[in-house]
Amino acid sequence: MKLEKILDKLGSIEKNSFIKIIDNIISKNPRNIKEINKILSSTDKGLKSVDNQNISTIFELTEKEFQEQINCEFQEITSQLDLLIDIIIRDGNCIMKQDWFSRLYENEIKHLKTKIKNLNADFDKDTSELSASRVRDYKIYKACLQTAYYNDVDNNREAKITSDELSIILTLAHQLDLSQEEEKLINYSILPVKKLEIQEVIKSLKNIGVIFYSNKENTIYVADEMVRMLRKVRQQEVAEKFYRRTLKLLREPIINQICKDHNIDRKLSYSVKIEEIIKEGVSFTNLLLEDIYKVGGNLTDKKKTLNELCEKGLGISNLKGSVLEDKISSLIEHFENVERDEKVGISIDGFDKLLTELNLSLPKLNKQIKDQFELQDEYVLKADFLLDYNIKPRDILDLIEKENLTKFIKDNGVKQRGDDILNILEHYKDVENLYLENYENVAYRNLNLLKENGIIVKESELGLKFEELTSFIFQSLGFNVDEVFKNELNTKKDMIDILLNLGNDEVIIVECKTSKERGYNKFSTVSRQLKSYQNVALKNNLRIVKILLVAPEFSDDFVTDCEMDTEMNLSLITASTLLNISDAFKLSKYKEFPHVLFRDIVINEDRIIKALSK
């Protein structure tokens, strides 16, 4: 769930710890202080009076400083911060009831203690599957960590690991190619892990700003933006779902070699081994630098293998970079962009239909998804629910075994030639709703984003498509979009885009304008056009209740010119505002939109949505 959406759900007391931390960062003149001050200049009451959208923007501007503060918390070795962060950044753990979090924490402690016991036994057993060189790596890391921690005790100081010591230890772990889980096991074998009270754990996480806690709902929220930042803290380059997607493209012998290198049982099934590699926190970069290639392969072979993995397996062509490291960085950046993108790839209705039919065809899938993402609800195959956890259609399909995908495809008449997952996504795209979800992109004539979101359209068709979508939205608001009457009124010279017939010879004229440029500013041109439409309507003895101009956005000059115009009853409405009003109307008690609410020069979205909710 996005930070802004979480902040909207919470009271001021529940946001207080987070706001205080951001306030403290701002007081120390962070890197982006100029941009922050521009936002704060609109209020004289400080950060607490800034709206949630701008708080979210300010967090983005202070993310590096926030991350530095979290890194400092790791110097307190008894904090269990590594263990706790590993829980809250897992896919599906961004929203949790307190009792569910308590259960996950308890299970993590038990699991950790069992693995530490097994690891210590492996150090001494002659029959251990660990190679002698791997045992040596573990012992070197453990000895260095032990010295860093206990040298304070020897000098009669409080035992802690300084930032200098920590940076050396992290470098050592990286050079020894230790996974995060291996680091964690050795760390807690030196300082035994102690189970803390869950309220104490929640309070500590809340005080450093990484979670929000709703007392009313007994629920923990971790913002998507915070999850991405915490992954950087834990040096996890990609989300689990993208790691899984990549690992599933590798042959089993390669998966077995990775398991051998990181003390994972190779007797497990293929899919379980993949999950264990992800849980171990094996470095994604190291995996693609060394682990997936044939022994003795040269650099050219490695580049070719990586390119094939990305192009044929992941469907990503033209990775940037000429050296292997740059190509891997480019892949990580691609996954970050996919995760940040709020678009689903198919429409929400299409996602719901896909989930319903998956549940009918594969009745065990609900439990599999629930277990995989550690979700608390009993029935989880609901689009809105999953999207709050940032789980998208592709993430669900990636978890389904090949034979089950084949069964589903046959059961539901999906195209069978080509890539199974891409065929399923295409089948459930639901183009009409997908266009509506991309309404603002159509308004901005943003062909690249439309293409990325699964819409192929010619630029010459965008103006007409925007008009069609706007017409559909007004119909959904309960208006009579009168095409017949409009065609009777239109002349070769004057062509009204949309006519809303209110009855009793009363109409609303709607004009639609798309624009690539930011800030629509052609008032003189559009005003002449609208006055011509007005004259046509008046000649036909019609009363014009309102003229509405719909565009992606309006420049300040355009708004000023509109305010100064005395000849037309004109209001301006942005595409995003119209769509949000339409969404709010669906949840309201009204059968037909009360058009008297269209009374501002620039239509005020918040005021109208508030009025509709009464």
Side-chain angles (χ1 to χ4, degrees), residues 487-501:
N487 291 335
E488 288 174 10
L489 292 176
N490 280 349
T491 66
K492 286 182 181 179
K493 183 183 170 188
D494 298 308
M495 303 284 286
I496 297 168
D497 283 348
I498 298 170
L499 189 78
L500 308 181
N501 192 343

Side-chain angles (χ1 to χ4, degrees), residues 258-472:
I258 297 165
C259 290
K260 184 182 177 185
D261 290 343
H262 295 283
N263 200 21
I264 297 168
D265 188 355
R266 284 170 285 164
K267 298 186 190 76
L268 299 168
S269 70
Y270 178 74
S271 57
V272 174
K273 280 184 285 201
I274 283 174
E275 295 306 319
E276 286 300 312
I277 290 169
I278 296 167
K279 284 176 189 171
E280 280 285 315
V282 176
S283 165
F284 185 74
T285 297
N286 286 355
L287 185 91
L288 298 182
L289 273 176
E290 300 293 343
D291 298 349
I292 67 169
Y293 308 107
K294 292 177 184 174
V295 178
N298 60 34
L299 192 56
T300 305
D301 292 336
K302 287 183 178 181
K303 284 183 188 176
K304 186 182 174 187
T305 301
L306 183 61
N307 283 334
E308 283 179 0
L309 180 80
C310 294
E311 289 172 18
K312 294 180 182 176
L314 296 169
I316 306 163
S317 56
N318 302 320
L319 274 182
K320 293 180 208 165
S322 54
V323 298
L324 205 59
E325 287 85 347
D326 290 344
K327 285 181 179 292
I328 294 166
S329 296
S330 176
L331 177 60
I332 291 169
E333 187 183 343
H334 168 81
F335 283 142
E336 281 178 358
N337 291 335
V338 171
E339 190 180 13
R340 284 174 188 273
D341 187 6
E342 293 183 42
K343 296 293 183 291
V344 181
I346 63 177
S347 73
I348 307 295
D349 286 352
F351 191 11
D352 261 325
K353 187 181 178 191
L354 167 63
L355 291 168
T356 301
E357 294 184 357
L358 277 169
N359 189 47
L360 289 171
S361 192
L362 307 171
K364 292 181 181 176
L365 183 65
N366 181 67
K367 185 176 185 309
Q368 183 190 348
I369 301 302
K370 183 178 181 297
D371 293 345
Q372 179 68 56
F373 295 112
E374 297 180 326
L375 301 170
Q376 193 170 4
D377 287 35
E378 281 309 312
Y379 185 75
V380 299
L381 298 179
K382 298 169 285 188
D384 286 338
F385 174 83
L386 292 173
L387 290 173
D388 275 343
Y389 289 86
N390 204 14
I391 300 168
K392 297 176 183 174
R394 177 70 194 254
D395 307 329
I396 298 293
L397 296 174
D398 277 338
L399 293 169
I400 301 173
E401 298 288 346
K402 176 76 176 171
E403 57 270 25
N404 286 333
L405 270 184
T406 303
K407 177 183 184 301
F408 175 75
I409 284 168
K410 286 178 181 174
D411 287 352
N412 293 279
V414 178
K415 189 174 80 171
Q416 294 184 38
R417 291 184 66 183
D419 185 282
D420 287 347
I421 288 177
L422 295 182
N423 287 344
I424 292 169
L425 292 174
E426 183 64 32
H427 186 79
Y428 288 92
K429 190 180 279 185
D430 186 1
V431 174
E432 186 179 331
N433 279 300
L434 191 58
Y435 262 114
L436 271 177
E437 288 166 22
N438 282 274
Y439 181 57
E440 200 173 358
N441 289 330
V442 175
Y444 276 118
R445 307 183 73 85
N446 194 330
L447 279 173
N448 288 335
L449 262 180
L450 288 169
K451 188 177 178 183
E452 281 177 28
N453 293 327
I455 293 174
I456 308 299
V457 63
K458 293 176 184 174
E459 187 169 7
S460 58
E461 298 170 354
L462 287 174
L464 184 59
K465 180 53 70 176
F466 185 58
E467 189 181 314
E468 287 173 4
L469 292 170
T470 306
S471 178
F472 179 84

